[in-house]
Amino acid sequence: METLDLNGNGVVASRIGLGTWAIGGWMWGGTDEAESIRTIQSAPDHGITLIDTAPVYGFGRSEEIVGKAVKQGGLRDKVALATKCALEWDAKERVARNATKNRILKEADDSLRRLGTDYIDLLQIHWPDPNVDMYETASAMATLREQGKIRAVGVSNFTPAQLDAFSEVATIDVVQNPYNLFERQIDEDVLPWAQAHDTRLLAYGALCRGLLSGRMHAGREFPGDDLRNNDPKFQQPRFDQYLAAVNELEQFAQDNYGKHVLDLAIRWVLDQYPHSVALWGARTPEQLEAVDNVWGWHLDEAARNQIKEIVDRHVVDPVGPEFMAPPARDV
Ligand code: NAP
């Protein structure tokens, strides 16, 4: 397992982090708590020492399950816990951005309670809030760091201009953005910013919500509120374009490395930027077994160019992950 110091200050993470959005159930068609706990507890067996969660994932459920798994497994000293703040929700589960100082300070305490810990290794602003001055948001995070409640500061889904504004008030240790070989929007903005500032990147959706797992097929049905029912990549005729690219990438991975497309997709994230961490959403221990295939080989520039050529040839009507963005509050 490759590791990374998240803030130059001793918060060390594996370069694959376990993503626990699906474990919260909401927008993923429900959750199985016992299976989720087994998944979280199996992560360190594969060298995974970073767990990423958020209050909004299941409206507290994901954090509670993570807290329970860590406590029952005696894992607190073995894993870094990353969570988020600055989204609110109401009784009807309507989500909106809220990065006011009061909200952030309250949420940090709620997360500490649900996670069953007295410090959070990494707290991230989940989405920027256009209704709140960046000074207020950033100073709330600086306060939490001074209080020792959090060890590293992250921001998610920020633009370079928002990153600059936040940085004037508080140091950004980590940026978290969507990044996978189908969703490369940050190549043009946030990744150059991270490179210039030596900032760590947590790449979310590394498997493009399962599309890059190699197990996805056109007849797959998604139960309940599973977000893939609304994800434009999973709607025809686009779905077939992405699946055709995955098929050829599978062949490419087998022919050149004796690996599978899932291994290739994660390796791609890690080799794009040496300070990246790939967040891998999993809800069963079996889904994490492939982690061991990611180490000990690399994609060089020629290979990465070939991967781009395969994707561009098949996906003639690409679309990004914008559908996931929550709205601002009505103020
Ligand atoms: P992802 O990691 O791209 O995909 C996760 C899905 O892929 C799983 O739920 C599973 O779906 C499938 N999968 C995983 N391993 C597999 C395997 N071995 N074989 C077959 N299928 C497999 O998507 P994600 O969960 O959206 O992203 C990862 C994490 O990033 C999240 O959990 C969260 O921590 C973070 N995230 C953050 C933000 C943000 O705004 N900051 C947004 C999105 C995500 P099925 O079980 O349904 O097949």
Side-chain angles (χ1 to χ4, degrees), residues 117 126 199 208 219 231 248 267 306:
T117 184
H126 206 147
T199 307
C208 204
D231 186 332
E248 193 171 332
R267 194 66 252 169
Q306 275 179 277

Side-chain angles (χ1 to χ4, degrees), residues 90-104:
D90 66 14
K92 291 186 176 162
E93 301 187 351
R94 287 178 301 207
V95 174
R97 308 179 192 203
N98 183 347
T100 55
K101 186 162 193 168
N102 282 348
R103 176 78 194 171
I104 290 170

Side-chain angles (χ1 to χ4, degrees), residues 57-297:
Y57 297 163
F59 311 108
R61 191 108 164 87
S62 174
E63 285 190 333
E64 280 166 8
I65 291 175
V66 170
K68 208 184 249 190
V70 167
K71 188 169 183 202
Q72 287 175 2
L75 296 176
R76 187 62 190 99
D77 295 337
K78 296 194 181 115
V79 294
L81 295 177
T83 190
K84 310 188 187 82
C85 60
L87 290 180
E88 64 176 23
W89 59 88
D90 66 14
K92 291 186 176 162
E93 301 187 351
R94 287 178 301 207
V95 174
R97 308 179 192 203
N98 183 347
T100 55
K101 186 162 193 168
N102 282 348
R103 176 78 194 171
I104 290 170
L105 298 183
K106 177 190 179 308
E107 278 199 89
D109 286 337
D110 289 346
S111 292
L112 287 166
R113 187 188 70 252
R114 286 191 289 253
L115 290 166
T117 184
D118 53 9
Y119 66 94
I120 293 164
D121 295 281
L122 169 65
L123 185 66
Q124 304 153 100
I125 301 291
H126 206 147
W127 284 84
D129 183 347
N131 293 320
V132 177
D133 194 289
M134 196 62 85
Y135 178 86
E136 176 176 344
T137 301
S139 57
M141 298 295 270
T143 299
L144 286 168
R145 195 203 292 258
E146 279 158 26
Q147 290 173 340
K149 291 182 178 178
I150 69 174
R151 294 194 167 172
V153 169
V155 296
S156 183
N157 302 300
F158 275 42
T159 63
Q162 291 163 335
L163 293 168
D164 284 337
F166 190 105
S167 299
E168 282 178 19
V169 185
T171 303
I172 297 173
D173 300 306
V174 170
V175 294
Q176 181 173 149
N177 290 79
Y179 199 44
N180 61 63
L181 56 81
F182 287 145
E183 293 174 335
R184 302 186 53 170
Q185 288 78 1
I186 66 164
D187 279 342
E188 307 302 323
D189 48 29
V190 173
L191 191 54
W193 192 96
Q195 282 161 336
H197 295 81
D198 203 21
T199 307
R200 280 51 179 151
L201 165 71
L202 298 196
Y204 75 68
L207 295 175
C208 204
R209 300 170 290 289
L211 200 46
L212 285 163
S213 68
R215 300 290 168 89
M216 198 53 67
H217 56 88
R220 172 86 187 262
E221 288 187 4
F222 303 106
D225 69 347
D226 194 306
L227 77 166
R228 290 168 291 190
N229 290 315
N230 300 314
D231 186 332
K233 283 196 185 61
F234 290 72
Q235 317 306 320
Q236 297 294 11
R238 229 186 233 126
F239 196 12
D240 277 346
Q241 295 175 16
Y242 282 100
L243 290 172
V246 171
N247 277 343
E248 193 171 332
L249 290 169
E250 169 68 29
Q251 201 57 54
F252 177 82
Q254 286 186 25
D255 292 348
N256 291 284
Y257 309 100
K259 302 284 183 185
H260 293 289
V261 59
L262 183 149
D263 315 324
L264 184 86
I266 300 290
R267 194 66 252 169
W268 184 91
V269 169
L270 302 183
D271 288 342
Q272 285 292 102
Y273 180 44
H275 294 325
S276 65
V277 170
L279 293 180
W280 181 327
R283 33 186 174 192
T284 67
E286 293 71 34
Q287 287 185 336
L288 289 179
E289 279 169 12
V291 168
D292 307 333
N293 299 338
V294 174
W295 315 119
W297 58 292

